[in-house]
Amino acid sequence: MTSLEAMTVATHFSNLLSTSYIDSTNSSEFYKLVVYSLYYLSQFPQRYLNAYSAFNWRFLDMLGFVVKYENCISCHKIIDAGDFYLSYKTGEIYCSECFKKSNINTFDYVKLSFEAVLALNHYSEANYNQLFSFKNSIETLNGLVDFTTKYLSH
């Protein structure tokens, strides 16, 4: 791996694993996640943002800390287009219309596109060999990095 960014992301994977309590009953799943993630980084070092976001979200999912995003928490509208506001503290999701009408502390939310919400759901559900197959624009990737980092840090 010759990319400094990819090496930094690989170090992030290692740090997460070494500082987290992982139950031995599912340790093989964490091992698979790391192996697939490191292999992906070695093959596509320029896609380090995708690897970072996918790893973070899947890691949190394996620890039981994520939700599948299907409906706005307020109006229950199915998530199918537009922008959404996701809380990195509670996991809640609001459509743009409900978020604008609400009296919510906006500091706890990150605005993400429909594409980004689909990516999060994909990261939770995909087989390891398909985990990184979701293609995102740079804007979407930056949003995913921001959201998954905040969610992970909370």
Side-chain angles (χ1 to χ4, degrees):
M1 215 180 299
T2 57
S3 163
L4 179 60
E5 293 89 350
M7 287 189 283
T8 302
V9 169
T11 301
H12 168 73
F13 299 163
S14 175
N15 287 340
L16 269 182
L17 286 172
S18 67
T19 59
S20 300
Y21 174 77
I22 297 171
D23 188 0
S24 61
T25 58
N26 65 347
S27 60
S28 65
E29 292 301 309
F30 286 93
Y31 176 76
K32 286 179 196 174
L33 175 61
V34 171
V35 168
Y36 274 93
S37 299
L38 291 174
Y39 180 75
Y40 178 80
L41 270 177
S42 72
Q43 297 301 301
F44 306 102
Q46 72 281 11
R47 297 184 189 159
Y48 63 92
L49 294 175
N50 190 38
Y52 178 88
S53 299
F55 182 91
N56 283 351
W57 199 247
R58 185 60 163 260
F59 184 81
L60 286 164
D61 182 59
M62 292 167 67
L63 291 173
F65 292 117
V66 301
V67 297
K68 182 174 180 188
Y69 295 111
E70 296 175 334
N71 304 81
C72 170
I73 194 163
S74 182
C75 70
H76 308 291
K77 172 185 158 192
I78 293 175
I79 295 168
D80 59 3
D83 292 327
F84 299 89
Y85 292 84
L86 287 76
S87 170
Y88 57 87
K89 289 187 176 183
T90 65
E92 297 173 334
I93 184 169
Y94 286 90
C95 66
S96 293
E97 295 80 29
C98 290
F99 191 78
K100 289 174 187 171
K101 292 182 216 173
S102 70
N103 229 358
I104 300 171
N105 179 2
T106 58
F107 180 76
D108 297 342
Y109 288 79
V110 173
K111 181 180 178 181
L112 290 178
S113 66
F114 173 63
E115 178 185 38
V117 175
L118 285 180
L120 291 173
N121 287 338
H122 171 81
Y123 297 154
S124 293
E125 298 171 348
N127 292 326
Y128 291 110
N129 61 347
Q130 294 294 313
L131 183 61
F132 307 102
S133 65
F134 205 91
K135 303 294 184 231
N136 297 298
S137 67
I138 190 67
E139 181 181 286
T140 298
L141 284 171
N142 286 332
L144 288 166
V145 166
D146 181 40
F147 179 70
T148 62
T149 301
K150 287 177 177 176
Y151 203 103
L152 186 65
S153 300
H154 179 68

Short mmCIF file of all heavy atoms in Angstrom, two decimals, residues 36-100:
data_model
loop_
_atom_site.label_atom_id
_atom_site.label_comp_id
_atom_site.label_asym_id
_atom_site.label_seq_id
_atom_site.Cartn_x
_atom_site.Cartn_y
_atom_site.Cartn_z
N TYR A 36 -11.41 -8.37 4.54
CA TYR A 36 -12.00 -7.82 3.32
C TYR A 36 -11.69 -6.33 3.17
O TYR A 36 -11.43 -5.85 2.07
CB TYR A 36 -13.52 -8.05 3.29
CG TYR A 36 -13.90 -9.40 2.74
CD1 TYR A 36 -14.09 -10.49 3.58
CD2 TYR A 36 -14.08 -9.59 1.37
CE1 TYR A 36 -14.44 -11.73 3.07
CE2 TYR A 36 -14.43 -10.83 0.85
CZ TYR A 36 -14.61 -11.89 1.71
OH TYR A 36 -14.94 -13.13 1.21
N SER A 37 -11.72 -5.61 4.27
CA SER A 37 -11.46 -4.16 4.23
C SER A 37 -10.02 -3.87 3.85
O SER A 37 -9.75 -3.00 3.02
CB SER A 37 -11.78 -3.53 5.58
OG SER A 37 -13.14 -3.72 5.90
N LEU A 38 -9.09 -4.60 4.43
CA LEU A 38 -7.68 -4.39 4.11
C LEU A 38 -7.37 -4.81 2.67
O LEU A 38 -6.60 -4.14 1.98
CB LEU A 38 -6.78 -5.14 5.09
CG LEU A 38 -6.76 -4.58 6.50
CD1 LEU A 38 -5.95 -5.48 7.43
CD2 LEU A 38 -6.23 -3.15 6.54
N TYR A 39 -7.98 -5.89 2.23
CA TYR A 39 -7.78 -6.31 0.84
C TYR A 39 -8.31 -5.25 -0.12
O TYR A 39 -7.65 -4.89 -1.09
CB TYR A 39 -8.45 -7.66 0.58
CG TYR A 39 -8.27 -8.11 -0.85
CD1 TYR A 39 -7.04 -8.62 -1.27
CD2 TYR A 39 -9.29 -7.99 -1.78
CE1 TYR A 39 -6.85 -9.01 -2.59
CE2 TYR A 39 -9.12 -8.38 -3.09
CZ TYR A 39 -7.89 -8.88 -3.50
OH TYR A 39 -7.71 -9.26 -4.80
N TYR A 40 -9.50 -4.75 0.17
CA TYR A 40 -10.08 -3.69 -0.67
C TYR A 40 -9.15 -2.48 -0.73
O TYR A 40 -8.89 -1.93 -1.81
CB TYR A 40 -11.46 -3.30 -0.14
CG TYR A 40 -12.12 -2.19 -0.90
CD1 TYR A 40 -12.76 -2.45 -2.10
CD2 TYR A 40 -12.10 -0.89 -0.42
CE1 TYR A 40 -13.38 -1.43 -2.81
CE2 TYR A 40 -12.72 0.14 -1.13
CZ TYR A 40 -13.35 -0.14 -2.32
OH TYR A 40 -13.95 0.88 -3.02
N LEU A 41 -8.65 -2.06 0.43
CA LEU A 41 -7.73 -0.92 0.47
C LEU A 41 -6.46 -1.19 -0.33
O LEU A 41 -5.94 -0.29 -0.99
CB LEU A 41 -7.35 -0.59 1.91
CG LEU A 41 -8.20 0.39 2.66
CD1 LEU A 41 -7.71 0.53 4.10
CD2 LEU A 41 -8.24 1.74 1.99
N SER A 42 -5.97 -2.41 -0.25
CA SER A 42 -4.73 -2.73 -0.99
C SER A 42 -4.96 -2.70 -2.50
O SER A 42 -4.07 -2.35 -3.26
CB SER A 42 -4.17 -4.08 -0.56
OG SER A 42 -4.97 -5.14 -1.04
N GLN A 43 -6.17 -3.08 -2.92
CA GLN A 43 -6.49 -3.10 -4.35
C GLN A 43 -6.93 -1.74 -4.89
O GLN A 43 -6.70 -1.42 -6.05
CB GLN A 43 -7.59 -4.13 -4.62
CG GLN A 43 -7.19 -5.55 -4.30
CD GLN A 43 -5.97 -5.99 -5.10
OE1 GLN A 43 -5.98 -5.99 -6.32
NE2 GLN A 43 -4.90 -6.35 -4.39
N PHE A 44 -7.58 -0.96 -4.03
CA PHE A 44 -8.13 0.34 -4.45
C PHE A 44 -7.79 1.42 -3.42
O PHE A 44 -8.69 1.96 -2.76
CB PHE A 44 -9.65 0.25 -4.62
CG PHE A 44 -10.09 -0.85 -5.53
CD1 PHE A 44 -10.60 -2.04 -5.00
CD2 PHE A 44 -10.00 -0.72 -6.90
CE1 PHE A 44 -11.00 -3.07 -5.84
CE2 PHE A 44 -10.40 -1.74 -7.75
CZ PHE A 44 -10.90 -2.92 -7.22
N PRO A 45 -6.53 1.74 -3.25
CA PRO A 45 -6.15 2.72 -2.22
C PRO A 45 -6.77 4.10 -2.43
O PRO A 45 -7.00 4.82 -1.46
CB PRO A 45 -4.62 2.77 -2.30
CG PRO A 45 -4.28 2.21 -3.64
CD PRO A 45 -5.38 1.26 -4.00
N GLN A 46 -7.11 4.43 -3.65
CA GLN A 46 -7.73 5.73 -3.93
C GLN A 46 -9.17 5.79 -3.43
O GLN A 46 -9.75 6.86 -3.32
CB GLN A 46 -7.66 6.05 -5.43
CG GLN A 46 -8.58 5.23 -6.31
CD GLN A 46 -8.08 3.82 -6.64
OE1 GLN A 46 -7.11 3.32 -6.07
NE2 GLN A 46 -8.75 3.16 -7.58
N ARG A 47 -9.76 4.66 -3.07
CA ARG A 47 -11.14 4.61 -2.58
C ARG A 47 -11.18 4.48 -1.05
O ARG A 47 -12.06 3.85 -0.49
CB ARG A 47 -11.89 3.45 -3.23
CG ARG A 47 -12.00 3.60 -4.73
CD ARG A 47 -12.81 2.49 -5.33
NE ARG A 47 -12.73 2.53 -6.78
CZ ARG A 47 -12.98 1.52 -7.57
NH1 ARG A 47 -13.38 0.36 -7.05
NH2 ARG A 47 -12.87 1.62 -8.86
N TYR A 48 -10.22 5.08 -0.41
CA TYR A 48 -10.10 4.97 1.04
C TYR A 48 -11.30 5.55 1.78
O TYR A 48 -11.65 5.07 2.86
CB TYR A 48 -8.80 5.62 1.53
CG TYR A 48 -8.70 7.09 1.28
CD1 TYR A 48 -9.12 8.01 2.24
CD2 TYR A 48 -8.19 7.57 0.07
CE1 TYR A 48 -9.05 9.37 2.00
CE2 TYR A 48 -8.11 8.93 -0.16
CZ TYR A 48 -8.54 9.82 0.80
OH TYR A 48 -8.47 11.17 0.56
N LEU A 49 -11.96 6.56 1.23
CA LEU A 49 -13.15 7.12 1.90
C LEU A 49 -14.29 6.11 1.93
O LEU A 49 -15.01 5.99 2.93
CB LEU A 49 -13.61 8.41 1.21
CG LEU A 49 -12.68 9.60 1.29
CD1 LEU A 49 -13.23 10.76 0.46
CD2 LEU A 49 -12.46 10.02 2.72
N ASN A 50 -14.46 5.37 0.84
CA ASN A 50 -15.48 4.32 0.79
C ASN A 50 -15.15 3.22 1.80
O ASN A 50 -16.03 2.76 2.54
CB ASN A 50 -15.58 3.75 -0.62
CG ASN A 50 -16.78 2.85 -0.79
OD1 ASN A 50 -17.84 3.11 -0.26
ND2 ASN A 50 -16.59 1.76 -1.52
N ALA A 51 -13.90 2.81 1.85
CA ALA A 51 -13.49 1.77 2.80
C ALA A 51 -13.71 2.23 4.23
O ALA A 51 -14.21 1.47 5.07
CB ALA A 51 -12.02 1.42 2.58
N TYR A 52 -13.37 3.46 4.52
CA TYR A 52 -13.51 4.02 5.86
C TYR A 52 -14.98 4.02 6.30
O TYR A 52 -15.32 3.55 7.38
CB TYR A 52 -12.94 5.44 5.87
CG TYR A 52 -13.08 6.16 7.19
CD1 TYR A 52 -12.10 6.04 8.17
CD2 TYR A 52 -14.16 7.00 7.45
CE1 TYR A 52 -12.21 6.72 9.38
CE2 TYR A 52 -14.27 7.68 8.65
CZ TYR A 52 -13.29 7.54 9.61
OH TYR A 52 -13.41 8.20 10.81
N SER A 53 -15.85 4.55 5.46
CA SER A 53 -17.28 4.64 5.79
C SER A 53 -17.92 3.27 5.93
O SER A 53 -18.67 3.01 6.86
CB SER A 53 -18.02 5.44 4.73
OG SER A 53 -17.52 6.73 4.66
N ALA A 54 -17.64 2.39 4.96
CA ALA A 54 -18.22 1.05 4.99
C ALA A 54 -17.75 0.28 6.22
O ALA A 54 -18.55 -0.37 6.90
CB ALA A 54 -17.86 0.29 3.72
N PHE A 55 -16.47 0.36 6.52
CA PHE A 55 -15.94 -0.34 7.70
C PHE A 55 -16.58 0.20 8.97
O PHE A 55 -17.03 -0.58 9.82
CB PHE A 55 -14.42 -0.19 7.78
CG PHE A 55 -13.83 -0.92 8.94
CD1 PHE A 55 -13.40 -2.24 8.81
CD2 PHE A 55 -13.70 -0.31 10.18
CE1 PHE A 55 -12.86 -2.92 9.90
CE2 PHE A 55 -13.17 -0.98 11.27
CZ PHE A 55 -12.75 -2.29 11.13
N ASN A 56 -16.60 1.52 9.13
CA ASN A 56 -17.18 2.12 10.34
C ASN A 56 -18.61 1.65 10.56
O ASN A 56 -18.99 1.24 11.65
CB ASN A 56 -17.17 3.64 10.27
CG ASN A 56 -15.82 4.24 10.52
OD1 ASN A 56 -14.88 3.56 10.91
ND2 ASN A 56 -15.70 5.53 10.28
N TRP A 57 -19.42 1.74 9.50
CA TRP A 57 -20.84 1.43 9.66
C TRP A 57 -21.06 -0.05 9.92
O TRP A 57 -21.86 -0.43 10.77
CB TRP A 57 -21.62 1.91 8.43
CG TRP A 57 -23.07 2.04 8.73
CD1 TRP A 57 -24.08 1.28 8.23
CD2 TRP A 57 -23.69 2.96 9.64
NE1 TRP A 57 -25.29 1.68 8.75
CE2 TRP A 57 -25.08 2.71 9.62
CE3 TRP A 57 -23.20 3.98 10.45
CZ2 TRP A 57 -25.99 3.44 10.38
CZ3 TRP A 57 -24.10 4.70 11.22
CH2 TRP A 57 -25.47 4.43 11.18
N ARG A 58 -20.33 -0.90 9.19
CA ARG A 58 -20.49 -2.34 9.40
C ARG A 58 -19.98 -2.74 10.79
O ARG A 58 -20.59 -3.57 11.47
CB ARG A 58 -19.74 -3.11 8.32
CG ARG A 58 -19.93 -4.61 8.37
CD ARG A 58 -21.43 -4.98 8.23
NE ARG A 58 -21.59 -6.35 7.90
CZ ARG A 58 -21.82 -6.81 6.67
NH1 ARG A 58 -21.94 -5.98 5.65
NH2 ARG A 58 -21.94 -8.09 6.47
N PHE A 59 -18.89 -2.12 11.23
CA PHE A 59 -18.34 -2.38 12.56
C PHE A 59 -19.38 -2.03 13.63
O PHE A 59 -19.65 -2.82 14.53
CB PHE A 59 -17.06 -1.56 12.74
CG PHE A 59 -16.34 -1.79 14.03
CD1 PHE A 59 -15.52 -2.89 14.19
CD2 PHE A 59 -16.48 -0.91 15.09
CE1 PHE A 59 -14.84 -3.11 15.38
CE2 PHE A 59 -15.81 -1.12 16.28
CZ PHE A 59 -14.99 -2.23 16.43
N LEU A 60 -19.97 -0.85 13.51
CA LEU A 60 -21.01 -0.44 14.46
C LEU A 60 -22.23 -1.36 14.39
O LEU A 60 -22.83 -1.69 15.42
CB LEU A 60 -21.43 1.01 14.19
CG LEU A 60 -20.42 2.06 14.62
CD1 LEU A 60 -20.73 3.40 13.97
CD2 LEU A 60 -20.39 2.19 16.13
N ASP A 61 -22.58 -1.77 13.19
CA ASP A 61 -23.70 -2.69 13.02
C ASP A 61 -23.42 -4.02 13.72
O ASP A 61 -24.28 -4.56 14.42
CB ASP A 61 -23.96 -2.93 11.53
CG ASP A 61 -25.14 -3.85 11.28
OD1 ASP A 61 -26.25 -3.50 11.71
OD2 ASP A 61 -24.94 -4.91 10.65
N MET A 62 -22.22 -4.53 13.59
CA MET A 62 -21.85 -5.80 14.22
C MET A 62 -21.86 -5.69 15.74
O MET A 62 -22.10 -6.68 16.43
CB MET A 62 -20.49 -6.25 13.69
CG MET A 62 -20.55 -6.64 12.23
SD MET A 62 -18.94 -6.84 11.47
CE MET A 62 -18.33 -8.28 12.31
N LEU A 63 -21.63 -4.49 16.24
CA LEU A 63 -21.69 -4.27 17.69
C LEU A 63 -23.12 -3.99 18.16
O LEU A 63 -23.38 -3.88 19.35
CB LEU A 63 -20.79 -3.10 18.08
CG LEU A 63 -19.28 -3.34 17.96
CD1 LEU A 63 -18.52 -2.05 18.22
CD2 LEU A 63 -18.82 -4.44 18.90
N GLY A 64 -24.05 -3.85 17.21
CA GLY A 64 -25.46 -3.63 17.55
C GLY A 64 -25.85 -2.18 17.74
O GLY A 64 -26.86 -1.89 18.38
N PHE A 65 -25.09 -1.26 17.15
CA PHE A 65 -25.34 0.16 17.37
C PHE A 65 -25.98 0.91 16.22
O PHE A 65 -26.10 2.13 16.27
CB PHE A 65 -24.03 0.88 17.73
CG PHE A 65 -23.48 0.49 19.06
CD1 PHE A 65 -22.25 -0.12 19.16
CD2 PHE A 65 -24.21 0.73 20.22
CE1 PHE A 65 -21.74 -0.48 20.39
CE2 PHE A 65 -23.70 0.37 21.46
CZ PHE A 65 -22.46 -0.25 21.54
N VAL A 66 -26.39 0.25 15.15
CA VAL A 66 -26.98 0.98 14.03
C VAL A 66 -28.41 0.51 13.78
O VAL A 66 -28.83 -0.55 14.24
CB VAL A 66 -26.16 0.85 12.73
CG1 VAL A 66 -24.75 1.35 12.91
CG2 VAL A 66 -26.15 -0.56 12.20
N VAL A 67 -29.11 1.32 13.04
CA VAL A 67 -30.48 1.00 12.66
C VAL A 67 -30.57 0.99 11.13
O VAL A 67 -29.75 1.60 10.46
CB VAL A 67 -31.51 2.02 13.22
CG1 VAL A 67 -31.51 2.00 14.72
CG2 VAL A 67 -31.22 3.42 12.71
N LYS A 68 -31.56 0.30 10.62
CA LYS A 68 -31.82 0.35 9.19
C LYS A 68 -32.75 1.53 8.94
O LYS A 68 -33.76 1.69 9.62
CB LYS A 68 -32.46 -0.94 8.69
CG LYS A 68 -32.69 -0.91 7.20
CD LYS A 68 -33.19 -2.22 6.67
CE LYS A 68 -33.37 -2.07 5.17
NZ LYS A 68 -34.02 -3.21 4.59
N TYR A 69 -32.40 2.35 7.99
CA TYR A 69 -33.18 3.54 7.69
C TYR A 69 -34.21 3.23 6.61
O TYR A 69 -33.85 2.95 5.47
CB TYR A 69 -32.27 4.68 7.27
CG TYR A 69 -31.38 5.12 8.40
CD1 TYR A 69 -30.01 4.90 8.37
CD2 TYR A 69 -31.92 5.76 9.51
CE1 TYR A 69 -29.20 5.31 9.42
CE2 TYR A 69 -31.11 6.16 10.57
CZ TYR A 69 -29.76 5.93 10.51
OH TYR A 69 -28.97 6.33 11.56
N GLU A 70 -35.50 3.29 7.00
CA GLU A 70 -36.57 3.00 6.06
C GLU A 70 -37.61 4.12 5.98
O GLU A 70 -38.15 4.36 4.92
CB GLU A 70 -37.27 1.70 6.45
CG GLU A 70 -36.37 0.48 6.35
CD GLU A 70 -37.04 -0.78 6.85
OE1 GLU A 70 -37.95 -0.69 7.70
OE2 GLU A 70 -36.62 -1.86 6.39
N ASN A 71 -37.90 4.77 7.12
CA ASN A 71 -38.97 5.77 7.17
C ASN A 71 -38.54 6.97 8.00
O ASN A 71 -37.80 6.83 8.97
CB ASN A 71 -40.22 5.18 7.83
CG ASN A 71 -40.70 3.93 7.16
OD1 ASN A 71 -40.19 2.86 7.40
ND2 ASN A 71 -41.70 4.07 6.31
N CYS A 72 -39.10 8.11 7.66
CA CYS A 72 -38.95 9.31 8.48
C CYS A 72 -39.58 9.02 9.83
O CYS A 72 -40.68 8.47 9.91
CB CYS A 72 -39.64 10.49 7.81
SG CYS A 72 -39.76 11.97 8.85
N ILE A 73 -38.92 9.39 10.90
CA ILE A 73 -39.42 9.12 12.24
C ILE A 73 -40.67 9.93 12.57
O ILE A 73 -41.47 9.54 13.41
CB ILE A 73 -38.32 9.35 13.29
CG1 ILE A 73 -38.73 8.73 14.61
CG2 ILE A 73 -37.98 10.81 13.42
CD1 ILE A 73 -37.61 8.53 15.58
N SER A 74 -40.87 11.04 11.88
CA SER A 74 -42.01 11.91 12.17
C SER A 74 -43.24 11.59 11.32
O SER A 74 -44.29 11.26 11.83
CB SER A 74 -41.61 13.37 11.99
OG SER A 74 -42.66 14.22 12.29
N CYS A 75 -43.10 11.66 10.00
CA CYS A 75 -44.26 11.46 9.12
C CYS A 75 -44.36 10.02 8.59
O CYS A 75 -45.33 9.68 7.93
CB CYS A 75 -44.23 12.43 7.95
SG CYS A 75 -42.92 12.10 6.75
N HIS A 76 -43.34 9.23 8.83
CA HIS A 76 -43.27 7.82 8.42
C HIS A 76 -43.20 7.63 6.91
O HIS A 76 -43.43 6.53 6.42
CB HIS A 76 -44.43 7.01 9.02
CG HIS A 76 -44.53 7.17 10.50
ND1 HIS A 76 -43.59 6.66 11.37
CD2 HIS A 76 -45.42 7.83 11.27
CE1 HIS A 76 -43.92 6.97 12.60
NE2 HIS A 76 -45.02 7.70 12.58
N LYS A 77 -42.88 8.71 6.20
CA LYS A 77 -42.70 8.63 4.75
C LYS A 77 -41.55 7.68 4.45
O LYS A 77 -40.50 7.72 5.10
CB LYS A 77 -42.41 10.02 4.20
CG LYS A 77 -42.01 10.07 2.76
CD LYS A 77 -41.62 11.49 2.35
CE LYS A 77 -40.73 11.45 1.15
NZ LYS A 77 -40.11 12.73 0.88
N ILE A 78 -41.74 6.82 3.45
CA ILE A 78 -40.68 5.90 3.04
C ILE A 78 -39.54 6.71 2.43
O ILE A 78 -39.76 7.64 1.66
CB ILE A 78 -41.22 4.87 2.03
CG1 ILE A 78 -42.23 3.96 2.71
CG2 ILE A 78 -40.09 4.06 1.42
CD1 ILE A 78 -42.91 2.98 1.80
N ILE A 79 -38.35 6.35 2.79
CA ILE A 79 -37.16 7.03 2.28
C ILE A 79 -36.95 6.59 0.84
O ILE A 79 -36.59 5.45 0.57
CB ILE A 79 -35.94 6.68 3.16
CG1 ILE A 79 -36.17 7.24 4.56
CG2 ILE A 79 -34.66 7.19 2.54
CD1 ILE A 79 -35.21 6.74 5.58
N ASP A 80 -37.20 7.53 -0.08
CA ASP A 80 -37.08 7.16 -1.48
C ASP A 80 -36.44 8.24 -2.36
O ASP A 80 -36.09 7.97 -3.50
CB ASP A 80 -38.43 6.75 -2.06
CG ASP A 80 -39.47 7.86 -1.95
OD1 ASP A 80 -39.15 8.96 -1.48
OD2 ASP A 80 -40.63 7.61 -2.35
N ALA A 81 -36.27 9.42 -1.86
CA ALA A 81 -35.63 10.48 -2.64
C ALA A 81 -35.40 11.69 -1.75
O ALA A 81 -36.00 11.81 -0.68
CB ALA A 81 -36.52 10.88 -3.82
N GLY A 82 -34.53 12.57 -2.19
CA GLY A 82 -34.30 13.82 -1.46
C GLY A 82 -33.19 13.71 -0.43
O GLY A 82 -32.39 12.79 -0.42
N ASP A 83 -33.16 14.70 0.45
CA ASP A 83 -32.16 14.76 1.52
C ASP A 83 -32.81 14.40 2.84
O ASP A 83 -34.01 14.58 3.04
CB ASP A 83 -31.57 16.18 1.62
CG ASP A 83 -30.72 16.53 0.41
OD1 ASP A 83 -30.08 15.62 -0.14
OD2 ASP A 83 -30.71 17.71 0.03
N PHE A 84 -31.98 13.92 3.75
CA PHE A 84 -32.45 13.47 5.05
C PHE A 84 -31.52 13.97 6.13
O PHE A 84 -30.35 14.28 5.87
CB PHE A 84 -32.57 11.95 5.08
CG PHE A 84 -33.53 11.43 4.07
CD1 PHE A 84 -33.11 11.11 2.79
CD2 PHE A 84 -34.87 11.30 4.38
CE1 PHE A 84 -34.01 10.68 1.83
CE2 PHE A 84 -35.78 10.87 3.43
CZ PHE A 84 -35.34 10.55 2.15
N TYR A 85 -32.03 14.03 7.33
CA TYR A 85 -31.24 14.47 8.48
C TYR A 85 -31.17 13.31 9.46
O TYR A 85 -32.19 12.83 9.94
CB TYR A 85 -31.88 15.70 9.12
CG TYR A 85 -31.78 16.90 8.23
CD1 TYR A 85 -32.73 17.12 7.23
CD2 TYR A 85 -30.74 17.80 8.35
CE1 TYR A 85 -32.63 18.21 6.37
CE2 TYR A 85 -30.63 18.90 7.51
CZ TYR A 85 -31.58 19.09 6.52
OH TYR A 85 -31.47 20.17 5.68
N LEU A 86 -29.94 12.85 9.72
CA LEU A 86 -29.72 11.70 10.58
C LEU A 86 -29.01 12.14 11.85
O LEU A 86 -28.03 12.90 11.79
CB LEU A 86 -28.88 10.64 9.87
CG LEU A 86 -29.57 9.85 8.77
CD1 LEU A 86 -29.72 10.67 7.51
CD2 LEU A 86 -28.79 8.59 8.48
N SER A 87 -29.48 11.64 12.97
CA SER A 87 -28.86 11.95 14.25
C SER A 87 -27.75 10.94 14.54
O SER A 87 -27.99 9.73 14.52
CB SER A 87 -29.88 11.90 15.38
OG SER A 87 -29.21 11.97 16.63
N TYR A 88 -26.58 11.43 14.81
CA TYR A 88 -25.49 10.53 15.17
C TYR A 88 -25.54 10.18 16.66
O TYR A 88 -24.79 9.32 17.12
CB TYR A 88 -24.13 11.11 14.80
CG TYR A 88 -23.82 12.45 15.41
CD1 TYR A 88 -23.23 12.55 16.66
CD2 TYR A 88 -24.11 13.63 14.72
CE1 TYR A 88 -22.94 13.78 17.22
CE2 TYR A 88 -23.82 14.86 15.28
CZ TYR A 88 -23.24 14.93 16.52
OH TYR A 88 -22.96 16.15 17.08
N LYS A 89 -26.45 10.79 17.39
CA LYS A 89 -26.61 10.47 18.81
C LYS A 89 -27.72 9.46 19.06
O LYS A 89 -27.60 8.59 19.92
CB LYS A 89 -26.88 11.74 19.61
CG LYS A 89 -25.67 12.64 19.72
CD LYS A 89 -25.93 13.79 20.66
CE LYS A 89 -24.68 14.63 20.83
NZ LYS A 89 -24.87 15.71 21.79
N THR A 90 -28.82 9.57 18.31
CA THR A 90 -29.98 8.71 18.57
C THR A 90 -30.28 7.73 17.44
O THR A 90 -31.05 6.81 17.63
CB THR A 90 -31.25 9.56 18.80
OG1 THR A 90 -31.55 10.26 17.59
CG2 THR A 90 -31.06 10.52 19.95
N GLY A 91 -29.71 7.96 16.26
CA GLY A 91 -30.01 7.12 15.11
C GLY A 91 -31.27 7.50 14.37
O GLY A 91 -31.64 6.86 13.39
N GLU A 92 -31.95 8.56 14.81
CA GLU A 92 -33.20 8.98 14.16
C GLU A 92 -32.93 9.56 12.78
O GLU A 92 -31.85 10.10 12.52
CB GLU A 92 -33.89 10.04 15.01
CG GLU A 92 -34.32 9.57 16.36
CD GLU A 92 -34.84 10.69 17.24
OE1 GLU A 92 -34.45 11.85 17.05
OE2 GLU A 92 -35.66 10.37 18.12
N ILE A 93 -33.94 9.46 11.93
CA ILE A 93 -33.86 10.04 10.59
C ILE A 93 -35.13 10.84 10.32
O ILE A 93 -36.24 10.40 10.64
CB ILE A 93 -33.66 8.97 9.51
CG1 ILE A 93 -33.46 9.62 8.12
CG2 ILE A 93 -34.78 7.95 9.51
CD1 ILE A 93 -32.99 8.66 7.06
N TYR A 94 -34.95 12.03 9.78
CA TYR A 94 -36.06 12.91 9.40
C TYR A 94 -35.94 13.26 7.93
O TYR A 94 -34.84 13.51 7.43
CB TYR A 94 -36.02 14.22 10.19
CG TYR A 94 -36.44 14.09 11.63
CD1 TYR A 94 -35.51 13.81 12.62
CD2 TYR A 94 -37.77 14.27 12.00
CE1 TYR A 94 -35.89 13.70 13.95
CE2 TYR A 94 -38.17 14.17 13.32
CZ TYR A 94 -37.22 13.87 14.29
OH TYR A 94 -37.61 13.76 15.61
N CYS A 95 -37.07 13.31 7.24
CA CYS A 95 -37.08 13.85 5.89
C CYS A 95 -36.88 15.37 6.00
O CYS A 95 -37.03 15.94 7.09
CB CYS A 95 -38.38 13.50 5.16
SG CYS A 95 -39.87 14.26 5.83
N SER A 96 -36.54 16.00 4.92
CA SER A 96 -36.28 17.45 4.93
C SER A 96 -37.46 18.25 5.44
O SER A 96 -37.30 19.19 6.21
CB SER A 96 -35.90 17.94 3.54
OG SER A 96 -34.67 17.41 3.16
N GLU A 97 -38.67 17.88 5.00
CA GLU A 97 -39.87 18.64 5.37
C GLU A 97 -40.11 18.59 6.88
O GLU A 97 -40.35 19.63 7.52
CB GLU A 97 -41.11 18.09 4.64
CG GLU A 97 -41.07 18.26 3.14
CD GLU A 97 -40.22 17.19 2.44
OE1 GLU A 97 -40.10 16.06 2.96
OE2 GLU A 97 -39.67 17.50 1.38
N CYS A 98 -40.04 17.41 7.46
CA CYS A 98 -40.28 17.27 8.91
C CYS A 98 -39.17 17.93 9.72
O CYS A 98 -39.43 18.51 10.77
CB CYS A 98 -40.42 15.80 9.28
SG CYS A 98 -41.92 15.04 8.66
N PHE A 99 -37.96 17.84 9.22
CA PHE A 99 -36.84 18.43 9.95
C PHE A 99 -36.98 19.95 10.01
O PHE A 99 -36.74 20.57 11.04
CB PHE A 99 -35.51 18.04 9.30
CG PHE A 99 -34.31 18.39 10.13
CD1 PHE A 99 -33.96 17.61 11.23
CD2 PHE A 99 -33.53 19.50 9.83
CE1 PHE A 99 -32.86 17.92 12.00
CE2 PHE A 99 -32.44 19.82 10.60
CZ PHE A 99 -32.09 19.04 11.68
N LYS A 100 -37.40 20.54 8.89
CA LYS A 100 -37.57 22.00 8.85
C LYS A 100 -38.69 22.46 9.77
O LYS A 100 -38.63 23.55 10.34
CB LYS A 100 -37.85 22.45 7.41
CG LYS A 100 -36.63 22.34 6.52
CD LYS A 100 -36.97 22.64 5.08
CE LYS A 100 -35.77 22.36 4.20
NZ LYS A 100 -36.11 22.43 2.78
#
